[in-house]
Amino acid sequence: MRANKEYRLSFTEEARKIVEKLTLEQKVWLMCGNIDVTQKTSQQLGEFMMTILEGENHYNITPYAAGGLEEEGVPPMLFVDGPRGVVCGNWLSTCFPVSMARGASFDTDLEERVGRCIGREVRAFGGNLFAGVCINLPYNPGWGRSQETYGEETYQIGQMGAALVRGVQEEDVMACVKHFAFNQMENARFKVSVTCDQRTEKEVFLPHFKDCLDAGAASVMSSYNKYNGVHCGHNRYLLRQVLKDEWDFDGFVMSDFCWGVKDTVEAANGGQDMEMLWTQHFGPKLVKAVEDGFVPMAYIDEAALRIIRTILAFDKDHKEYDMSVVACPEHIAVAKEAAEKGITLLKNKDVLPLCREKTKKLALIGKLAGEAVIGDHGSSWVRPPYVVTPKEGLEKANQDCQVVWNDGSDLESAKKLAAEADAVVFVVGYTHDDEGEYVSAEENTNYTGSVGGDRKFSLGLHEDEIRLLQEVGPVNPKSTAVLIGGNTILMTPWYDSVNSVIMAYYPGMEGGTALAEILYGDVNPSGKLPYVVPVSEKDLPQVDWEATDQYYEYYHGYTRLEKKGIQPLLPYGFGLSYTTFGFSDAAARKQEDQVLVSVKVKNTGGRDGDEVVQVYAGFENSGVDRPVKQLRGFQRVSLKAGEEKQVEIPVSLEKLKWYDPVCREWKLEAMEYTFYVGSSSANEDLITTAIQL
Ligand code: BGC
């Protein structure tokens, strides 16, 4: 209901009446985080930030307040961060798999349920605003915060983000979509200016934001970086023209924290509605800027109206939850389900599933096997009451099996162990030091000691882990490499050294349980890669992670490889199962503003399982430069062994259009479109049908 625009607009009159009564100071108060730092020097600000981050009193341990005028019946915004759950509280809340793992499930229904759990926990902690819908598109997978988004494909990110928005808002919590826009470089996020051409902007980097707003997101967070030389938090083109005018967004914009607003007048005139986390450039400076005529009063009225209207729409008679919902069994079960459906089987030459009876001794090798691998230590760090590590998961899953752990630092002892064992599981990959939100250990010695940032080495594993897999992998044919990380990990140097590979991402508090269930076959794997795995780094667009200027090309990820005719190691959308699926009878018909693509999918193997049916649109007949094909629909289907179902997947005509930069409009080309339907983006996994539009 609260996602419904008409419902929200029905509060416009009430909000307007309140705005009319307010003084300039009161209106500006609504536009600010409640922490006043206007009197602090920049050094004091740094010190103050540390008090927010230090020790037990961690960042966002309770919701951060902004605005609020009790006497006028306007509640404050109470900000809670995500996306892998609720950041508030100390070791209390449910930690879901990171968004990238959830993206790999391609399950919008599940993501909506994750959103509902999160919404309930936000309310239990006293919050009303969840800023965990992170939907930036990783232009290069080395982006440190890739784990917070859903994949490399705008369509899939948009669908998954919209599902999270729906779920969270279903519980009467405002969803904030971030970071608007072009925020896919971490270390340089405060200085980089991104440029790209109009088509790249409109077709690649913005559509997923629109999808989330169309799903009713109440709020948008502007990003730190610049777009075309202008700070995104001040960016009149992005905030006023695109967001508020072209997309008719009725909610409010907030800045990214602390450094998202740099100039009072530019930000307010650019369309920024709220300075977060603190009051530095808004507050008294904004009042003065209005009084001196640098910022029109109309902009202040507009911001106040947006803020009041949205908070009234969400906070009137809202649902309430107490702390009993926080990490309750139902929410933890959803976290486990998300891990089970996201973890992706990439290679399996007669290794998996492991047979319990035959696995009496299991060699578990690698530093990460005993670690709580739940993701980075930045603003999305959720503290759950417990985390099941891979080691704990495997120990519990087969109590007649001796699990012997070796950290892999000594290759000879690892080889000896591997040779003696019935099966070997390596757990390798990244930690919060390798990738994530950038938290400089030098500057913030009291914070976590974690560094994060963009991947500094390469897109592959650390050298010692590459050697480990190369040398110890071949010792035992029943070897599986389990990868931990937030995005593509290159596998070429060691791919042939192990007979089985699993991508586990950062699988959340129940990740160890889900992983063990998959290894032993209690759960049939069904995740699909939400990104391509190239053979070589040079197949991807290059980024200078320290750049002050970065140009984004139109093609990235699988569309780039396909356009250049480069074979990937593993295609976008790829993931194996312990059963097999077959596709037949693809057909396409037009119905109003959609093409309905239907196909029969059959479970042709001996186990029940889920398949993600993918629909790619092909543009062979286009008169302009377009990708070879693009994902434009998907649906997860559960099939019993031997069962066949007909599925029909709608593809919106809007999603088939291209943006003509000369006429400045979206165009649907009149031509024959090919639809590729199947289990991954590789042509051998797809069948085709065509339709003239
Ligand atoms: C991050 C945002 C986050 C905000 C508040 C910033 O550093 O970029 O994603 O929502 O902090 O926690």
Side-chain angles (χ1 to χ4, degrees):
M1 173 177 80
R2 322 238 169 194
N4 180 299
K5 197 164 181 158
E6 270 165 43
Y7 174 77
R8 293 219 296 252
L9 293 181
S10 72
F11 288 89
T12 304
E13 264 326 293
E14 190 179 343
R16 200 185 303 284
K17 285 197 185 112
I18 297 175
V19 175
E20 278 165 10
K21 283 192 289 179
L22 300 182
T23 63
L24 172 59
E25 283 75 6
Q26 285 175 310
K27 287 181 248 186
V28 168
W29 166 259
L30 292 174
M31 297 171 67
C32 303
N34 283 177
I35 302 173
D36 182 0
V37 297
T38 45
Q39 303 305 318
K40 293 202 191 314
T41 63
S42 61
Q43 195 196 332
Q44 286 169 333
L45 274 183
E47 287 162 10
F48 175 69
M49 198 63 198
M50 284 307 98
T51 65
I52 299 182
L53 300 177
E54 258 169 21
E56 286 302 279
N57 178 28
H58 71 75
Y59 184 69
N60 210 183
I61 191 165
T62 52
Y64 291 132
L69 289 169
E70 218 181 304
E71 61 285 11
E72 304 299 338
V74 182
M77 301 286 173
L78 294 160
F79 175 105
V80 175
D81 222 330
R84 76 184 96 123
V86 165
V87 168
C88 291
N90 245 349
W91 314 107
L92 293 174
S93 50
T94 309
C95 181
F96 294 90
V98 294
S99 305
M100 189 61 87
R102 286 157 24 210
S105 76
F106 284 77
D107 190 337
T108 51
D109 164 68
L110 171 60
E111 189 59 8
E112 201 168 319
R113 285 188 284 127
V114 168
R116 293 198 69 159
C117 300
I118 288 176
R120 290 193 279 261
E121 296 197 14
V122 169
R123 278 285 176 199
F125 278 106
N128 58 18
L129 169 66
F130 176 66
V133 188
C134 178
I135 53 162
N136 295 106
L137 179 154
Y139 178 61
N140 176 297
W143 175 41
R145 294 182 72 177
S146 301
Q147 59 189 272
E148 291 187 53
T149 189
Y150 294 103
E152 70 173 38
E153 157 66 60
T154 167
Y155 176 77
Q156 181 258 9
I157 300 175
Q159 298 305 301
M160 297 300 291
L164 184 62
V165 167
R166 286 194 298 272
V168 166
Q169 297 198 157
E170 195 55 38
E171 298 298 348
D172 301 347
V173 168
M174 291 169 273
C176 176
V177 178
K178 68 189 185 185
H179 311 78
F180 194 63
F182 304 96
N183 183 163
Q184 37 278 98
M185 290 167 65
E186 178 57 16
N187 293 22
R189 65 179 170 164
F190 297 117
K191 61 178 182 184
V192 69
S193 176
V194 173
T195 46
C196 63
D197 69 24
Q198 278 278 297
R199 284 193 62 191
T200 308
E201 175 200 305
K202 301 273 187 204
E203 295 179 31
V204 183
F205 287 97
L206 295 189
H208 35 284
F209 283 97
K210 180 155 190 309
D211 291 339
C212 290
L213 298 180
D214 289 345
S219 171
V220 169
M221 182 188 286
S222 59
S223 57
Y224 290 127
N225 53 283
K226 299 174 199 161
Y227 179 51
N228 284 334
V230 182
H231 286 292
C232 290
H234 303 177
N235 201 305
R236 180 183 279 269
Y237 169 70
L238 284 177
L239 303 183
R240 288 204 188 279
Q241 186 174 324
V242 174
L243 193 62
K244 294 180 177 177
D245 293 346
E246 288 173 23
W247 294 353
D248 198 24
F249 173 55
D250 65 296
F252 65 96
V253 180
M254 74 167 79
S255 74
D256 200 345
F257 276 30
C258 309
W259 304 282
V261 168
K262 298 198 173 291
D263 181 275
T264 309
V265 174
E266 280 183 28
N269 287 345
Q272 186 63 257
D273 297 316
M274 188 186 282
E275 180 184 27
M276 283 294 269
L277 149 81
W278 51 40
T279 305
Q280 186 184 14
H281 294 288
F282 280 8
K285 286 187 187 161
L286 182 53
V287 170
K288 180 144 189 345
V290 177
E291 286 168 349
D292 292 348
F294 292 109
V295 175
M297 183 63 106
Y299 285 170
I300 306 297
D301 288 342
E302 180 213 312
L305 178 85
R306 285 173 178 275
I307 290 165
I308 297 173
R309 176 171 63 200
T310 314
I311 190 91
L312 290 183
F314 277 84
D315 253 34
K316 278 241 162 117
D317 312 316
H318 64 80
K319 294 179 187 166
E320 291 206 54
Y321 295 98
D322 63 24
M323 289 297 283
S324 66
V325 301
V326 175
C328 63
E330 184 197 336
H331 291 187
I332 292 178
V334 176
K336 179 158 151 295
E337 182 184 344
E340 290 165 352
K341 291 185 169 168
I343 291 174
T344 312
L345 178 62
L346 301 177
K347 176 176 180 177
N348 187 19
K349 280 196 185 161
D350 300 324
V351 180
L352 301 177
L354 299 175
C355 167
R356 278 197 170 80
E357 289 67 45
K358 291 188 189 151
T359 314
K360 298 290 172 214
K361 182 169 181 177
L362 187 132
L364 183 60
I365 303 178
K367 294 187 284 285
L368 295 181
E371 299 282 318
V373 285
I374 54 173
D376 82 349
H377 283 185
S379 59
S380 70
W381 187 6
V382 167
R383 281 101 172 150
Y386 67 86
V387 176
V388 181
T389 66
K391 180 165 174 286
E392 288 163 352
L394 279 163
E395 281 167 350
K396 199 160 165 217
N398 185 0
Q399 297 188 355
D400 296 332
C401 171
Q402 187 197 3
V403 176
V404 185
W405 178 60
N406 176 305
D407 74 1
S409 55
D410 175 42
L411 293 181
E412 291 315 310
S413 74
K415 274 187 200 164
K416 184 163 177 296
L417 173 64
E420 293 162 5
D422 300 313
V424 183
V425 174
F426 297 92
V427 183
V428 291
Y430 303 142
T431 71
H432 45 78
D433 281 333
D434 298 317
E435 60 173 3
E437 190 162 358
Y438 182 61
V439 183
S440 159
E442 272 166 50
E443 289 161 29
N444 299 332
T445 39
N446 289 330
Y447 186 29
T448 60
S450 161
V451 178
D454 305 306
R455 290 192 211 161
K456 291 159 285 290
F457 31 102
S458 76
L459 298 179
L461 291 173
H462 290 289
E463 284 299 325
D464 58 337
E465 291 186 331
I466 294 177
R467 231 176 7 259
L468 177 70
L469 293 176
Q470 284 173 332
E471 298 209 11
V472 186
V475 171
N476 189 323
K478 281 220 171 288
S479 289
T480 301
V482 173
L483 304 179
I484 305 294
N487 202 331
T488 292
I489 296 178
L490 292 190
M491 304 177 200
T492 315
W494 52 264
Y495 195 68
D496 294 334
S497 307
V498 284
N499 282 332
S500 164
V501 181
I502 284 181
M503 182 69 199
Y505 313 91
Y506 296 106
M509 66 188 290
E510 281 288 347
T513 313
L515 181 64
E517 288 172 341
I518 287 174
L519 287 166
Y520 278 109
D522 309 330
V523 166
N524 193 351
S526 56
K528 299 280 183 172
L529 285 175
Y531 48 72
V532 69
V533 181
V535 171
S536 155
E537 262 187 79
K538 65 176 178 5
D539 299 340
L540 298 170
Q542 299 304 298
V543 169
D544 170 4
W545 298 113
E546 299 299 333
T548 47
D549 287 289
Q550 179 69 48
Y551 184 75
Y552 288 174
E553 293 172 11
Y554 181 72
Y555 289 103
H556 73 284
Y558 75 92
T559 62
R560 178 183 163 105
L561 270 73
E562 289 196 341
K563 195 70 185 179
K564 290 180 179 272
I566 302 170
Q567 278 301 314
L569 182 73
L570 296 170
Y572 177 88
F574 178 79
L576 298 169
S577 162
Y578 297 148
T579 187
T580 47
F581 298 94
F583 293 83
S584 63
D585 300 322
R589 67 190 167 98
K590 183 168 175 276
Q591 194 182 65
E592 294 165 6
D593 55 356
Q594 294 180 330
V595 176
L596 298 174
V597 180
S598 61
V599 71
K600 283 187 185 151
V601 50
K602 182 167 185 182
N603 183 338
T604 49
R607 278 173 182 253
D608 301 352
D610 283 10
E611 176 60 298
V612 176
V613 182
Q614 302 163 41
V615 175
Y616 295 83
F619 307 99
E620 296 86 347
N621 302 312
S622 172
V624 293
D625 178 29
R626 300 197 72 172
V628 175
K629 62 181 188 299
Q630 277 179 309
L631 185 75
R632 285 298 175 261
F634 59 85
Q635 194 178 312
R636 177 178 267 267
V637 191
S638 295
L639 292 162
K640 301 239 170 284
E643 190 184 4
E644 183 173 60
K645 279 185 187 164
Q646 160 119 5
V647 296
E648 192 167 60
I649 299 179
V651 176
S652 156
L653 294 186
E654 285 301 314
K655 295 285 181 196
L656 297 177
K657 292 181 176 172
W658 71 289
Y659 185 77
D660 182 344
V662 178
C663 309
R664 293 180 180 257
E665 61 185 42
W666 288 93
K667 287 186 172 164
L668 183 70
E669 289 183 275
M671 63 178 183
E672 188 178 81
Y673 292 77
T674 309
F675 285 97
Y676 298 81
V677 194
S679 61
S680 93
S681 64
N683 282 347
E684 59 270 25
D685 293 337
L686 296 162
I687 60 172
T688 61
T689 180
I691 188 170
Q692 177 74 38
L693 295 177

